[in-house]
PDB file of all heavy atoms in Angstrom:
ATOM      1  N   ALA A 863      -4.026  12.603   5.734  1.00 98.00           N
ATOM      2  CA  ALA A 863      -2.991  13.600   6.018  1.00 98.00           C
ATOM      3  C   ALA A 863      -3.097  14.844   5.169  1.00 98.00           C
ATOM      4  O   ALA A 863      -2.395  15.831   5.424  1.00 98.00           O
ATOM      5  CB  ALA A 863      -1.609  12.969   5.797  1.00 98.00           C
ATOM      6  N   ALA A 864      -3.976  14.851   4.159  1.00 98.00           N
ATOM      7  CA  ALA A 864      -3.931  15.852   3.088  1.00 98.00           C
ATOM      8  C   ALA A 864      -3.915  17.291   3.582  1.00 98.00           C
ATOM      9  O   ALA A 864      -3.237  18.141   3.001  1.00 98.00           O
ATOM     10  CB  ALA A 864      -5.111  15.645   2.131  1.00 98.00           C
ATOM     11  N   GLY A 865      -4.649  17.598   4.625  1.00 98.00           N
ATOM     12  CA  GLY A 865      -4.725  18.968   5.105  1.00 98.00           C
ATOM     13  C   GLY A 865      -3.831  19.262   6.290  1.00 98.00           C
ATOM     14  O   GLY A 865      -3.927  20.345   6.893  1.00 98.00           O
ATOM     15  N   PHE A 866      -2.942  18.317   6.634  1.00 98.00           N
ATOM     16  CA  PHE A 866      -2.111  18.483   7.828  1.00 98.00           C
ATOM     17  C   PHE A 866      -0.619  18.428   7.556  1.00 98.00           C
ATOM     18  O   PHE A 866       0.186  18.629   8.473  1.00 98.00           O
ATOM     19  CB  PHE A 866      -2.455  17.395   8.863  1.00 98.00           C
ATOM     20  CG  PHE A 866      -3.891  17.391   9.293  1.00 98.00           C
ATOM     21  CD1 PHE A 866      -4.676  16.261   9.128  1.00 98.00           C
ATOM     22  CD2 PHE A 866      -4.478  18.516   9.864  1.00 98.00           C
ATOM     23  CE1 PHE A 866      -6.001  16.240   9.531  1.00 98.00           C
ATOM     24  CE2 PHE A 866      -5.801  18.515  10.272  1.00 98.00           C
ATOM     25  CZ  PHE A 866      -6.572  17.374  10.101  1.00 98.00           C
ATOM     26  N   VAL A 867      -0.214  18.114   6.323  1.00 98.00           N
ATOM     27  CA  VAL A 867       1.209  17.961   6.006  1.00 98.00           C
ATOM     28  C   VAL A 867       1.586  18.862   4.837  1.00 98.00           C
ATOM     29  O   VAL A 867       0.714  19.411   4.154  1.00 98.00           O
ATOM     30  CB  VAL A 867       1.551  16.494   5.665  1.00 98.00           C
ATOM     31  CG1 VAL A 867       1.168  15.568   6.810  1.00 98.00           C
ATOM     32  CG2 VAL A 867       0.871  16.057   4.364  1.00 98.00           C
ATOM     33  N   GLY A 868       2.885  18.974   4.588  1.00 98.00           N
ATOM     34  CA  GLY A 868       3.362  19.785   3.474  1.00 98.00           C
ATOM     35  C   GLY A 868       3.611  18.965   2.220  1.00 98.00           C
ATOM     36  O   GLY A 868       3.619  17.726   2.257  1.00 98.00           O
ATOM     37  N   PRO A 869       3.839  19.625   1.094  1.00 98.00           N
ATOM     38  CA  PRO A 869       4.048  18.917  -0.175  1.00 98.00           C
ATOM     39  C   PRO A 869       5.219  17.942  -0.164  1.00 98.00           C
ATOM     40  O   PRO A 869       5.131  16.859  -0.756  1.00 98.00           O
ATOM     41  CB  PRO A 869       4.272  20.064  -1.167  1.00 98.00           C
ATOM     42  CG  PRO A 869       3.524  21.211  -0.584  1.00 98.00           C
ATOM     43  CD  PRO A 869       3.714  21.078   0.896  1.00 98.00           C
ATOM     44  N   VAL A 870       6.321  18.295   0.485  1.00 98.00           N
ATOM     45  CA  VAL A 870       7.461  17.370   0.531  1.00 98.00           C
ATOM     46  C   VAL A 870       7.104  16.119   1.316  1.00 98.00           C
ATOM     47  O   VAL A 870       7.496  14.993   0.958  1.00 98.00           O
ATOM     48  CB  VAL A 870       8.702  18.066   1.132  1.00 98.00           C
ATOM     49  CG1 VAL A 870       9.836  17.062   1.321  1.00 98.00           C
ATOM     50  CG2 VAL A 870       9.151  19.211   0.236  1.00 98.00           C
ATOM     51  N   ASP A 871       6.340  16.284   2.385  1.00 98.00           N
ATOM     52  CA  ASP A 871       5.863  15.131   3.150  1.00 98.00           C
ATOM     53  C   ASP A 871       5.008  14.223   2.270  1.00 98.00           C
ATOM     54  O   ASP A 871       5.039  12.991   2.408  1.00 98.00           O
ATOM     55  CB  ASP A 871       5.045  15.591   4.358  1.00 98.00           C
ATOM     56  CG  ASP A 871       5.814  16.525   5.266  1.00 98.00           C
ATOM     57  OD1 ASP A 871       7.012  16.260   5.510  1.00 98.00           O
ATOM     58  OD2 ASP A 871       5.233  17.525   5.720  1.00 98.00           O
ATOM     59  N   SER A 872       4.232  14.807   1.367  1.00 98.00           N
ATOM     60  CA  SER A 872       3.382  14.023   0.479  1.00 98.00           C
ATOM     61  C   SER A 872       4.202  13.153  -0.466  1.00 98.00           C
ATOM     62  O   SER A 872       3.754  12.073  -0.868  1.00 98.00           O
ATOM     63  CB  SER A 872       2.469  14.950  -0.332  1.00 98.00           C
ATOM     64  OG  SER A 872       1.623  15.679   0.517  1.00 98.00           O
ATOM     65  N   LEU A 873       5.396  13.622  -0.842  1.00 98.00           N
ATOM     66  CA  LEU A 873       6.291  12.788  -1.640  1.00 98.00           C
ATOM     67  C   LEU A 873       6.598  11.475  -0.917  1.00 98.00           C
ATOM     68  O   LEU A 873       6.515  10.386  -1.498  1.00 98.00           O
ATOM     69  CB  LEU A 873       7.598  13.530  -1.930  1.00 98.00           C
ATOM     70  CG  LEU A 873       7.559  14.710  -2.895  1.00 98.00           C
ATOM     71  CD1 LEU A 873       8.899  15.434  -2.873  1.00 98.00           C
ATOM     72  CD2 LEU A 873       7.246  14.249  -4.308  1.00 98.00           C
ATOM     73  N   TRP A 874       6.946  11.596   0.358  1.00 98.00           N
ATOM     74  CA  TRP A 874       7.282  10.404   1.140  1.00 98.00           C
ATOM     75  C   TRP A 874       6.060   9.510   1.342  1.00 98.00           C
ATOM     76  O   TRP A 874       6.157   8.285   1.238  1.00 98.00           O
ATOM     77  CB  TRP A 874       7.865  10.820   2.492  1.00 98.00           C
ATOM     78  CG  TRP A 874       9.236  11.393   2.400  1.00 98.00           C
ATOM     79  CD1 TRP A 874       9.599  12.705   2.478  1.00 98.00           C
ATOM     80  CD2 TRP A 874      10.442  10.656   2.185  1.00 98.00           C
ATOM     81  NE1 TRP A 874      10.946  12.846   2.327  1.00 98.00           N
ATOM     82  CE2 TRP A 874      11.507  11.597   2.147  1.00 98.00           C
ATOM     83  CE3 TRP A 874      10.741   9.308   2.021  1.00 98.00           C
ATOM     84  CZ2 TRP A 874      12.828  11.227   1.970  1.00 98.00           C
ATOM     85  CZ3 TRP A 874      12.067   8.931   1.833  1.00 98.00           C
ATOM     86  CH2 TRP A 874      13.088   9.878   1.808  1.00 98.00           C
ATOM     87  N   ILE A 875       4.927  10.118   1.651  1.00 98.00           N
ATOM     88  CA  ILE A 875       3.717   9.321   1.883  1.00 98.00           C
ATOM     89  C   ILE A 875       3.323   8.564   0.620  1.00 98.00           C
ATOM     90  O   ILE A 875       2.984   7.375   0.661  1.00 98.00           O
ATOM     91  CB  ILE A 875       2.576  10.227   2.376  1.00 98.00           C
ATOM     92  CG1 ILE A 875       2.887  10.740   3.786  1.00 98.00           C
ATOM     93  CG2 ILE A 875       1.237   9.477   2.368  1.00 98.00           C
ATOM     94  CD1 ILE A 875       1.909  11.771   4.310  1.00 98.00           C
ATOM     95  N   GLY A 876       3.371   9.227  -0.528  1.00 98.00           N
ATOM     96  CA  GLY A 876       3.033   8.568  -1.776  1.00 98.00           C
ATOM     97  C   GLY A 876       3.990   7.441  -2.118  1.00 98.00           C
ATOM     98  O   GLY A 876       3.570   6.353  -2.534  1.00 98.00           O
ATOM     99  N   MET A 877       5.280   7.685  -1.943  1.00 98.00           N
ATOM    100  CA  MET A 877       6.273   6.665  -2.248  1.00 98.00           C
ATOM    101  C   MET A 877       6.110   5.447  -1.337  1.00 98.00           C
ATOM    102  O   MET A 877       6.107   4.298  -1.798  1.00 98.00           O
ATOM    103  CB  MET A 877       7.683   7.232  -2.102  1.00 98.00           C
ATOM    104  CG  MET A 877       8.778   6.241  -2.470  1.00 98.00           C
ATOM    105  SD  MET A 877      10.439   6.849  -2.062  1.00 98.00           S
ATOM    106  CE  MET A 877      10.382   6.814  -0.277  1.00 98.00           C
ATOM    107  N   LEU A 878       5.977   5.689  -0.042  1.00 98.00           N
ATOM    108  CA  LEU A 878       5.807   4.582   0.896  1.00 98.00           C
ATOM    109  C   LEU A 878       4.523   3.819   0.616  1.00 98.00           C
ATOM    110  O   LEU A 878       4.486   2.582   0.732  1.00 98.00           O
ATOM    111  CB  LEU A 878       5.811   5.119   2.330  1.00 98.00           C
ATOM    112  CG  LEU A 878       7.160   5.638   2.836  1.00 98.00           C
ATOM    113  CD1 LEU A 878       6.996   6.366   4.167  1.00 98.00           C
ATOM    114  CD2 LEU A 878       8.157   4.486   2.980  1.00 98.00           C
ATOM    115  N   ALA A 879       3.463   4.524   0.239  1.00 98.00           N
ATOM    116  CA  ALA A 879       2.201   3.858  -0.058  1.00 98.00           C
ATOM    117  C   ALA A 879       2.344   2.918  -1.250  1.00 98.00           C
ATOM    118  O   ALA A 879       1.847   1.784  -1.230  1.00 98.00           O
ATOM    119  CB  ALA A 879       1.117   4.895  -0.342  1.00 98.00           C
ATOM    120  N   GLY A 880       3.032   3.375  -2.303  1.00 98.00           N
ATOM    121  CA  GLY A 880       3.227   2.527  -3.468  1.00 98.00           C
ATOM    122  C   GLY A 880       3.949   1.244  -3.134  1.00 98.00           C
ATOM    123  O   GLY A 880       3.566   0.157  -3.586  1.00 98.00           O
ATOM    124  N   VAL A 881       4.999   1.345  -2.314  1.00 98.00           N
ATOM    125  CA  VAL A 881       5.791   0.170  -1.952  1.00 98.00           C
ATOM    126  C   VAL A 881       5.032  -0.734  -0.993  1.00 98.00           C
ATOM    127  O   VAL A 881       4.963  -1.962  -1.171  1.00 98.00           O
ATOM    128  CB  VAL A 881       7.136   0.606  -1.335  1.00 98.00           C
ATOM    129  CG1 VAL A 881       7.913  -0.609  -0.819  1.00 98.00           C
ATOM    130  CG2 VAL A 881       7.963   1.365  -2.359  1.00 98.00           C
ATOM    131  N   LEU A 882       4.438  -0.148   0.054  1.00 98.00           N
ATOM    132  CA  LEU A 882       3.748  -0.949   1.064  1.00 98.00           C
ATOM    133  C   LEU A 882       2.514  -1.640   0.501  1.00 98.00           C
ATOM    134  O   LEU A 882       2.236  -2.802   0.836  1.00 98.00           O
ATOM    135  CB  LEU A 882       3.357  -0.063   2.253  1.00 98.00           C
ATOM    136  CG  LEU A 882       4.508   0.466   3.109  1.00 98.00           C
ATOM    137  CD1 LEU A 882       3.994   1.466   4.137  1.00 98.00           C
ATOM    138  CD2 LEU A 882       5.244  -0.686   3.798  1.00 98.00           C
ATOM    139  N   CYS A 883       1.754  -0.942  -0.339  1.00 98.00           N
ATOM    140  CA  CYS A 883       0.554  -1.555  -0.903  1.00 98.00           C
ATOM    141  C   CYS A 883       0.905  -2.641  -1.906  1.00 98.00           C
ATOM    142  O   CYS A 883       0.192  -3.646  -2.023  1.00 98.00           O
ATOM    143  CB  CYS A 883      -0.346  -0.495  -1.534  1.00 98.00           C
ATOM    144  SG  CYS A 883      -1.120   0.599  -0.329  1.00 98.00           S
ATOM    145  N   TYR A 884       2.004  -2.468  -2.633  1.00 98.00           N
ATOM    146  CA  TYR A 884       2.470  -3.542  -3.512  1.00 98.00           C
ATOM    147  C   TYR A 884       2.781  -4.783  -2.681  1.00 98.00           C
ATOM    148  O   TYR A 884       2.380  -5.903  -3.029  1.00 98.00           O
ATOM    149  CB  TYR A 884       3.708  -3.089  -4.281  1.00 98.00           C
ATOM    150  CG  TYR A 884       4.271  -4.165  -5.193  1.00 98.00           C
ATOM    151  CD1 TYR A 884       3.769  -4.330  -6.472  1.00 98.00           C
ATOM    152  CD2 TYR A 884       5.299  -4.996  -4.762  1.00 98.00           C
ATOM    153  CE1 TYR A 884       4.272  -5.312  -7.318  1.00 98.00           C
ATOM    154  CE2 TYR A 884       5.818  -5.978  -5.591  1.00 98.00           C
ATOM    155  CZ  TYR A 884       5.298  -6.138  -6.871  1.00 98.00           C
ATOM    156  OH  TYR A 884       5.797  -7.113  -7.687  1.00 98.00           O
ATOM    157  N   ALA A 885       3.465  -4.584  -1.570  1.00 97.00           N
ATOM    158  CA  ALA A 885       3.763  -5.716  -0.681  1.00 97.00           C
ATOM    159  C   ALA A 885       2.476  -6.295  -0.091  1.00 97.00           C
ATOM    160  O   ALA A 885       2.351  -7.517   0.060  1.00 97.00           O
ATOM    161  CB  ALA A 885       4.702  -5.267   0.435  1.00 97.00           C
ATOM    162  N   GLY A 886       1.511  -5.420   0.228  1.00 96.00           N
ATOM    163  CA  GLY A 886       0.245  -5.891   0.774  1.00 96.00           C
ATOM    164  C   GLY A 886      -0.527  -6.765  -0.187  1.00 96.00           C
ATOM    165  O   GLY A 886      -1.169  -7.742   0.214  1.00 96.00           O
ATOM    166  N   VAL A 887      -0.456  -6.444  -1.471  1.00 96.00           N
ATOM    167  CA  VAL A 887      -1.133  -7.255  -2.482  1.00 96.00           C
ATOM    168  C   VAL A 887      -0.506  -8.645  -2.567  1.00 96.00           C
ATOM    169  O   VAL A 887      -1.199  -9.645  -2.802  1.00 96.00           O
ATOM    170  CB  VAL A 887      -1.100  -6.539  -3.847  1.00 96.00           C
ATOM    171  CG1 VAL A 887      -1.511  -7.475  -4.980  1.00 96.00           C
ATOM    172  CG2 VAL A 887      -2.010  -5.315  -3.815  1.00 96.00           C
ATOM    173  N   LEU A 888       0.805  -8.743  -2.370  1.00 95.00           N
ATOM    174  CA  LEU A 888       1.477 -10.040  -2.427  1.00 95.00           C
ATOM    175  C   LEU A 888       1.061 -10.961  -1.282  1.00 95.00           C
ATOM    176  O   LEU A 888       1.217 -12.184  -1.376  1.00 95.00           O
ATOM    177  CB  LEU A 888       3.000  -9.845  -2.387  1.00 95.00           C
ATOM    178  CG  LEU A 888       3.616  -9.077  -3.558  1.00 95.00           C
ATOM    179  CD1 LEU A 888       5.132  -8.991  -3.378  1.00 95.00           C
ATOM    180  CD2 LEU A 888       3.274  -9.733  -4.892  1.00 95.00           C
ATOM    181  N   LEU A 889       0.529 -10.383  -0.188  1.00 94.00           N
ATOM    182  CA  LEU A 889       0.130 -11.203   0.960  1.00 94.00           C
ATOM    183  C   LEU A 889      -0.910 -12.250   0.594  1.00 94.00           C
ATOM    184  O   LEU A 889      -0.899 -13.357   1.129  1.00 94.00           O
ATOM    185  CB  LEU A 889      -0.425 -10.305   2.075  1.00 94.00           C
ATOM    186  CG  LEU A 889       0.568  -9.530   2.932  1.00 94.00           C
ATOM    187  CD1 LEU A 889      -0.178  -8.635   3.906  1.00 94.00           C
ATOM    188  CD2 LEU A 889       1.492 -10.488   3.674  1.00 94.00           C
ATOM    189  N   LYS A 890      -1.825 -11.901  -0.321  1.00 93.00           N
ATOM    190  CA  LYS A 890      -2.901 -12.847  -0.624  1.00 93.00           C
ATOM    191  C   LYS A 890      -2.358 -14.113  -1.268  1.00 93.00           C
ATOM    192  O   LYS A 890      -2.933 -15.191  -1.104  1.00 93.00           O
ATOM    193  CB  LYS A 890      -3.965 -12.191  -1.502  1.00 93.00           C
ATOM    194  CG  LYS A 890      -3.548 -11.856  -2.922  1.00 93.00           C
ATOM    195  CD  LYS A 890      -4.713 -11.237  -3.683  1.00 93.00           C
ATOM    196  CE  LYS A 890      -4.340 -10.944  -5.137  1.00 93.00           C
ATOM    197  NZ  LYS A 890      -5.472 -10.323  -5.855  1.00 93.00           N
ATOM    198  N   HIS A 891      -1.267 -13.995  -2.010  1.00 89.00           N
ATOM    199  CA  HIS A 891      -0.666 -15.179  -2.620  1.00 89.00           C
ATOM    200  C   HIS A 891       0.065 -16.020  -1.574  1.00 89.00           C
ATOM    201  O   HIS A 891       0.059 -17.254  -1.646  1.00 89.00           O
ATOM    202  CB  HIS A 891       0.295 -14.766  -3.728  1.00 89.00           C
ATOM    203  CG  HIS A 891      -0.348 -13.930  -4.798  1.00 89.00           C
ATOM    204  ND1 HIS A 891      -1.368 -14.407  -5.601  1.00 89.00           N
ATOM    205  CD2 HIS A 891      -0.139 -12.645  -5.181  1.00 89.00           C
ATOM    206  CE1 HIS A 891      -1.748 -13.452  -6.441  1.00 89.00           C
ATOM    207  NE2 HIS A 891      -1.021 -12.382  -6.201  1.00 89.00           N
ATOM    208  N   ARG A 892       0.651 -15.358  -0.614  1.00 92.00           N
ATOM    209  CA  ARG A 892       1.371 -16.086   0.429  1.00 92.00           C
ATOM    210  C   ARG A 892       0.428 -16.739   1.428  1.00 92.00           C
ATOM    211  O   ARG A 892       0.685 -17.844   1.908  1.00 92.00           O
ATOM    212  CB  ARG A 892       2.328 -15.144   1.167  1.00 92.00           C
ATOM    213  CG  ARG A 892       3.507 -14.679   0.328  1.00 92.00           C
ATOM    214  CD  ARG A 892       4.473 -13.840   1.139  1.00 92.00           C
ATOM    215  NE  ARG A 892       5.675 -13.515   0.383  1.00 92.00           N
ATOM    216  CZ  ARG A 892       6.747 -14.283   0.298  1.00 92.00           C
ATOM    217  NH1 ARG A 892       6.756 -15.438   0.935  1.00 92.00           N
ATOM    218  NH2 ARG A 892       7.791 -13.914  -0.405  1.00 92.00           N
ATOM    219  N   LEU A 893      -0.670 -16.052   1.754  1.00 93.00           N
ATOM    220  CA  LEU A 893      -1.589 -16.542   2.784  1.00 93.00           C
ATOM    221  C   LEU A 893      -2.780 -17.300   2.225  1.00 93.00           C
ATOM    222  O   LEU A 893      -3.513 -17.950   2.968  1.00 93.00           O
ATOM    223  CB  LEU A 893      -2.074 -15.372   3.649  1.00 93.00           C
ATOM    224  CG  LEU A 893      -0.971 -14.571   4.353  1.00 93.00           C
ATOM    225  CD1 LEU A 893      -1.556 -13.450   5.182  1.00 93.00           C
ATOM    226  CD2 LEU A 893      -0.113 -15.494   5.230  1.00 93.00           C
ATOM    227  N   GLY A 894      -3.033 -17.193   0.917  1.00 92.00           N
ATOM    228  CA  GLY A 894      -4.034 -18.034   0.279  1.00 92.00           C
ATOM    229  C   GLY A 894      -5.452 -17.509   0.266  1.00 92.00           C
ATOM    230  O   GLY A 894      -6.353 -18.213  -0.184  1.00 92.00           O
ATOM    231  N   TYR A 895      -5.703 -16.281   0.729  1.00 95.00           N
ATOM    232  CA  TYR A 895      -7.071 -15.753   0.646  1.00 95.00           C
ATOM    233  C   TYR A 895      -7.260 -15.084  -0.715  1.00 95.00           C
ATOM    234  O   TYR A 895      -6.300 -14.743  -1.406  1.00 95.00           O
ATOM    235  CB  TYR A 895      -7.364 -14.780   1.788  1.00 95.00           C
ATOM    236  CG  TYR A 895      -6.483 -13.545   1.834  1.00 95.00           C
ATOM    237  CD1 TYR A 895      -6.825 -12.396   1.119  1.00 95.00           C
ATOM    238  CD2 TYR A 895      -5.331 -13.516   2.596  1.00 95.00           C
ATOM    239  CE1 TYR A 895      -6.031 -11.262   1.160  1.00 95.00           C
ATOM    240  CE2 TYR A 895      -4.522 -12.391   2.651  1.00 95.00           C
ATOM    241  CZ  TYR A 895      -4.878 -11.266   1.932  1.00 95.00           C
ATOM    242  OH  TYR A 895      -4.088 -10.145   1.972  1.00 95.00           O
ATOM    243  N   ASP A 896      -8.510 -14.900  -1.105  1.00 95.00           N
ATOM    244  CA  ASP A 896      -8.823 -14.377  -2.437  1.00 95.00           C
ATOM    245  C   ASP A 896      -9.458 -12.993  -2.331  1.00 95.00           C
ATOM    246  O   ASP A 896     -10.676 -12.849  -2.333  1.00 95.00           O
ATOM    247  CB  ASP A 896      -9.761 -15.352  -3.162  1.00 95.00           C
ATOM    248  CG  ASP A 896     -10.050 -14.927  -4.602  1.00 95.00           C
ATOM    249  OD1 ASP A 896      -9.370 -14.007  -5.092  1.00 95.00           O
ATOM    250  OD2 ASP A 896     -10.961 -15.512  -5.213  1.00 95.00           O
ATOM    251  N   ASP A 897      -8.620 -11.990  -2.207  1.00 95.00           N
ATOM    252  CA  ASP A 897      -9.061 -10.588  -2.273  1.00 95.00           C
ATOM    253  C   ASP A 897      -9.029 -10.214  -3.751  1.00 95.00           C
ATOM    254  O   ASP A 897      -8.028  -9.737  -4.268  1.00 95.00           O
ATOM    255  CB  ASP A 897      -8.108  -9.719  -1.453  1.00 95.00           C
ATOM    256  CG  ASP A 897      -8.460  -8.237  -1.466  1.00 95.00           C
ATOM    257  OD1 ASP A 897      -9.505  -7.877  -2.048  1.00 95.00           O
ATOM    258  OD2 ASP A 897      -7.682  -7.446  -0.915  1.00 95.00           O
ATOM    259  N   ALA A 898     -10.151 -10.449  -4.437  1.00 95.00           N
ATOM    260  CA  ALA A 898     -10.168 -10.481  -5.905  1.00 95.00           C
ATOM    261  C   ALA A 898      -9.551  -9.243  -6.540  1.00 95.00           C
ATOM    262  O   ALA A 898      -8.750  -9.342  -7.466  1.00 95.00           O
ATOM    263  CB  ALA A 898     -11.605 -10.681  -6.395  1.00 95.00           C
ATOM    264  N   LEU A 899      -9.918  -8.060  -6.066  1.00 96.00           N
ATOM    265  CA  LEU A 899      -9.468  -6.816  -6.687  1.00 96.00           C
ATOM    266  C   LEU A 899      -8.612  -5.985  -5.734  1.00 96.00           C
ATOM    267  O   LEU A 899      -8.492  -4.771  -5.879  1.00 96.00           O
ATOM    268  CB  LEU A 899     -10.671  -6.010  -7.184  1.00 96.00           C
ATOM    269  CG  LEU A 899     -11.655  -6.786  -8.078  1.00 96.00           C
ATOM    270  CD1 LEU A 899     -12.778  -5.884  -8.547  1.00 96.00           C
ATOM    271  CD2 LEU A 899     -10.938  -7.412  -9.262  1.00 96.00           C
ATOM    272  N   ASP A 900      -8.052  -6.641  -4.730  1.00 96.00           N
ATOM    273  CA  ASP A 900      -7.074  -6.038  -3.813  1.00 96.00           C
ATOM    274  C   ASP A 900      -7.635  -4.881  -2.997  1.00 96.00           C
ATOM    275  O   ASP A 900      -6.952  -3.866  -2.765  1.00 96.00           O
ATOM    276  CB  ASP A 900      -5.826  -5.590  -4.590  1.00 96.00           C
ATOM    277  CG  ASP A 900      -5.140  -6.754  -5.282  1.00 96.00           C
ATOM    278  OD1 ASP A 900      -4.995  -7.804  -4.644  1.00 96.00           O
ATOM    279  OD2 ASP A 900      -4.769  -6.616  -6.458  1.00 96.00           O
ATOM    280  N   ALA A 901      -8.857  -5.044  -2.526  1.00 97.00           N
ATOM    281  CA  ALA A 901      -9.450  -4.010  -1.678  1.00 97.00           C
ATOM    282  C   ALA A 901      -8.683  -3.862  -0.368  1.00 97.00           C
ATOM    283  O   ALA A 901      -8.453  -2.747   0.110  1.00 97.00           O
ATOM    284  CB  ALA A 901     -10.922  -4.339  -1.399  1.00 97.00           C
ATOM    285  N   PHE A 902      -8.273  -4.996   0.229  1.00 98.00           N
ATOM    286  CA  PHE A 902      -7.487  -4.908   1.460  1.00 98.00           C
ATOM    287  C   PHE A 902      -6.062  -4.442   1.167  1.00 98.00           C
ATOM    288  O   PHE A 902      -5.525  -3.578   1.854  1.00 98.00           O
ATOM    289  CB  PHE A 902      -7.445  -6.258   2.184  1.00 98.00           C
ATOM    290  CG  PHE A 902      -6.459  -6.293   3.316  1.00 98.00           C
ATOM    291  CD1 PHE A 902      -6.700  -5.571   4.477  1.00 98.00           C
ATOM    292  CD2 PHE A 902      -5.279  -7.018   3.221  1.00 98.00           C
ATOM    293  CE1 PHE A 902      -5.778  -5.575   5.537  1.00 98.00           C
ATOM    294  CE2 PHE A 902      -4.351  -7.037   4.264  1.00 98.00           C
ATOM    295  CZ  PHE A 902      -4.607  -6.312   5.424  1.00 98.00           C
ATOM    296  N   GLY A 903      -5.436  -5.019   0.128  1.00 97.00           N
ATOM    297  CA  GLY A 903      -4.057  -4.688  -0.174  1.00 97.00           C
ATOM    298  C   GLY A 903      -3.840  -3.214  -0.430  1.00 97.00           C
ATOM    299  O   GLY A 903      -2.814  -2.646  -0.042  1.00 97.00           O
ATOM    300  N   VAL A 904      -4.806  -2.558  -1.081  1.00 98.00           N
ATOM    301  CA  VAL A 904      -4.663  -1.137  -1.406  1.00 98.00           C
ATOM    302  C   VAL A 904      -5.315  -0.259  -0.341  1.00 98.00           C
ATOM    303  O   VAL A 904      -4.673   0.658   0.205  1.00 98.00           O
ATOM    304  CB  VAL A 904      -5.255  -0.829  -2.798  1.00 98.00           C
ATOM    305  CG1 VAL A 904      -5.247   0.674  -3.056  1.00 98.00           C
ATOM    306  CG2 VAL A 904      -4.445  -1.551  -3.876  1.00 98.00           C
TER     307      VAL A 904
END
């Protein structure tokens, strides 16, 4: 999105990414796969 959105939009994208990727990292513990360094989660 970097060249298509405004700075205020980037605030929302960054915030949502932090929350969603944190939740994505927790998936490996719930589902039992070993994404060692969270390549999928992030």
Side-chain angles (χ1 to χ4, degrees):
F866 302 122
V867 303
V870 174
D871 303 318
S872 298
L873 290 171
W874 288 103
I875 291 173
M877 183 188 69
L878 290 170
V881 174
L882 291 173
C883 290
Y884 179 85
V887 167
L888 297 181
L889 283 176
K890 69 179 182 181
H891 303 297
R892 291 184 174 274
L893 302 180
Y895 61 88
D896 184 11
D897 179 5
L899 308 182
D900 299 316
F902 170 70
V904 173

